[in-house]
Amino acid sequence: MTKAHHIAFVALLTGDTLLLRRLYPEWDMQTRLPAFARHGMLLWYCTQHGLFYQPL
């Protein structure tokens, strides 16, 4: 990831819970999700391409 093109954050939405992880260009593009993340919506924001989502 470069400073001009990186994943800025990853968010997990499940029912009434929001888990937000901020990512930085110096880090690897990795994060761990908790065990309750079997259902919900996964969102991530690319600084160049915008917002993406994936239903779980």
Side-chain angles (χ1 to χ4, degrees):
M1 298 193 309
T2 65
K3 288 189 178 190
H5 186 199
H6 68 277
I7 303 296
F9 70 85
V10 175
L12 176 64
L13 302 169
T14 59
D16 62 349
T17 304
L18 169 67
L19 176 68
L20 183 67
R21 300 271 171 97
R22 177 86 165 97
L23 302 174
Y24 297 95
E26 296 83 17
W27 298 354
D28 291 336
M29 213 302 285
Q30 295 180 19
T31 189
R32 292 182 184 247
L33 299 175
F36 69 83
R38 299 189 189 272
H39 302 294
M41 183 79 63
L42 182 66
L43 297 111
W44 63 96
Y45 181 77
C46 173
T47 57
Q48 194 169 39
H49 297 103
L51 186 66
F52 294 91
Y53 70 94
Q54 172 73 42
L56 298 177

